[in-house]
Amino acid sequence: MVEKRKPIPVKEAVDRVMKRAAHVKSESVPLEEAYGRILAEPVIASHPVPPFDRSPYDGFAVRSVDTKGASGESRITFTVMDHIGAGTISSHTLGEREAVRIMTGAPLPAGADAIVMLEQTVIDGQTFTIRKPFAPMENVSPKGEDAKEGEVIVEAGAFIQPGVIAVLATFGYTNVQVATRPIVGLLATGTELLEVNEPLEPGKIRNSNGPMIAAQLKRMGIDCRLLGTLPDDEDACFNMVKEAIHECDAVITTGGVSVGDFDYLPSVYKRLGAEVLFNKVMMRPGSVTTVAHVNDTFLFGLSGNPSACFVGFELFTRPALISMMGNDKPYLPYTKAVLTADFAKANPFNRFIRAIYESTPKGSFIEPAGFNKSNSVTSIARGNAFIVLPGGTRGFQKGDEVDVLLIGKEEGVESWMLN
Ligand code: AMP
Ligand code: MG
């Protein structure tokens, strides 16, 4: 008898997965390797930024009190006593109507409290004149204007983008405490599968899901353990997955999760004693996507159909792995766009259409990325987003505004925006 499965809404499925995403440990990595990792500790300013009052311009440091009354008719003359660039400290303390020629980034000399920009002066040898008064601290970058000592600059759980690297460098972090990356095993199942380097044979196809998922992981900064390819053989799959769960935080399989005669993953989960979080989702493609959990290890049973496999990974595996690293922005960014082509097919379940999204000054537009059945591989190659059409709707027309999830962005968002 064919097993009867109860489909659940996508949002419910996402929630069930995310509830199980426990944090992994942290480790210290050199700053040069920290890009793309997740901060395990907040970055706290260990000193003010800038650490001293400094000049933001090339010009002259003066005492503002000496500039009082300056005007076009009555210019005030200053004598230049010293000349400093960034990284140098003047030993001169300014007296009345004295100035120090100063370059961007240099600390203000003692006594100075304003900067006259070069273009605000008329220079004559060792003197210059000005035609306007300067207020105390005018044109000065005061100590601590960018950050106060003790201020939290970036929270734990943040994605380390280049700006975070700059802040870490500012505060002298040669090593950074980051979330350990989850250990992920990857297994492709299917008797029809050939390796990438094998010539085609009748009835066979090359394993494209394995390399695709490895790349999806790589774009999250995660290297996977390749468990290889197995035929549809229950014992072989069982032994492989059983072995892998001891070493992995997540084991991803593709293929064999449907209700066909050679789909053995459901019995494998049963034999492992895994808790199946769901095995049917109200979505197309990928309705048979199954997620289970055993001994603190996630089992992501993705469909063998390439588009379904891709969607299942992006909707469930990706946010779970990101959340395990303590990042609170695990979901695909959401937006809306105008359809530029009809999509006439009815949508019994939520439909995730591989699509080409473009944002222009005239608005955001999106179109399906070609052949769009669950077994399509080409639409994944062309797409940079999903059009999400709600279940229970008829077709959509060109000009309709639709929900969009963006794929491949460095950073995600805090919440799942769809039903
Ligand atoms: P399954 O999920 O095992 O029922 O497979 C569904 C469809 O996806 C079948 O047409 C398979 O041949 C195909 N398929 C399964 N695994 C892969 C794979 N690793 N790469 C590409 N296609 C696959
Ligand atoms: Mg199969």
Side-chain angles (χ1 to χ4, degrees), residues 189-192 232 255-256 262-263:
T189 72
T191 303
E192 73 279 34
D232 294 305
F262 304 100
D263 291 323

Side-chain angles (χ1 to χ4, degrees), residues 187 189 237 241 253-257 262-270 301:
L187 171 67
T189 72
C237 290
V241 176
T253 57
T254 92
V257 281
F262 304 100
D263 291 323
Y264 293 121
L265 263 295
S267 7
V268 168
Y269 297 140
K270 204 174 257 171

Side-chain angles (χ1 to χ4, degrees), residues 263-296:
D263 291 323
Y264 293 121
L265 263 295
S267 7
V268 168
Y269 297 140
K270 204 174 257 171
R271 284 172 64 184
L272 289 169
E275 178 194 355
V276 174
L277 305 184
F278 54 85
N279 58 14
K280 184 99 179 162
V281 189
M282 296 162 82
M283 65 187 238
R284 291 266 164 82
S287 67
V288 296
T289 306
T290 298
V291 179
H293 203 261
V294 62
N295 296 344
D296 292 333

Side-chain angles (χ1 to χ4, degrees), residues 137-175:
M137 297 310 274
E138 186 165 341
N139 291 342
V140 174
S141 280
K143 175 177 169 176
E145 72 169 352
D146 199 358
K148 309 270 176 286
E149 184 171 343
E151 196 182 322
V152 175
I153 310 297
V154 193
E155 301 281 356
F159 177 85
I160 302 181
Q161 37 96 325
V164 178
I165 297 284
V167 163
L168 289 163
T170 297
F171 297 118
Y173 285 78
T174 51
N175 289 282

Side-chain angles (χ1 to χ4, degrees), residues 223-255:
D223 289 323
C224 60
R225 300 204 174 167
L226 293 172
L227 306 175
T229 310
L230 283 180
D232 294 305
D233 177 299
E234 183 178 325
D235 286 337
C237 290
F238 172 75
N239 291 329
M240 178 68 87
V241 176
K242 185 164 183 257
E243 193 69 20
I245 54 178
H246 295 301
E247 297 162 13
C248 299
D249 299 302
V251 177
I252 303 174
T253 57
T254 92

Side-chain angles (χ1 to χ4, degrees), residues 58-203:
D58 298 328
F60 296 98
V62 297
R63 307 191 315 175
S64 61
V65 57
D66 295 339
T67 69
K68 243 183 223 159
S71 71
E73 289 74 46
S74 134
R75 302 185 69 103
I76 293 178
T77 305
F78 285 81
T79 306
V80 180
M81 308 302 293
D82 197 5
H83 184 174
I84 56 167
T88 313
I89 295 194
S90 176
S91 55
H92 188 73
T93 300
L94 289 188
E96 197 178 339
R97 300 212 174 168
E98 289 182 344
V100 167
R101 189 167 168 119
I102 191 168
M103 298 301 127
T104 304
L108 259 63
D113 68 347
I115 301 293
V116 179
M117 293 156 76
L118 280 183
E119 42 283 43
Q120 294 172 314
T121 64
V122 174
I123 298 174
D124 181 12
Q126 281 310 301
T127 67
F128 66 88
T129 59
I130 56 169
R131 46 169 295 173
K132 77 167 210 66
F134 287 77
M137 297 310 274
E138 186 165 341
N139 291 342
V140 174
S141 280
K143 175 177 169 176
E145 72 169 352
D146 199 358
K148 309 270 176 286
E149 184 171 343
E151 196 182 322
V152 175
I153 310 297
V154 193
E155 301 281 356
F159 177 85
I160 302 181
Q161 37 96 325
V164 178
I165 297 284
V167 163
L168 289 163
T170 297
F171 297 118
Y173 285 78
T174 51
N175 289 282
V176 191
Q177 200 65 23
V178 300
T180 310
R181 292 179 170 124
I183 298 169
V184 181
L186 176 55
L187 171 67
T189 72
T191 303
E192 73 279 34
L193 298 180
L194 297 168
E195 297 305 329
V196 177
N197 61 359
E198 290 185 286
L200 277 185
E201 288 170 29

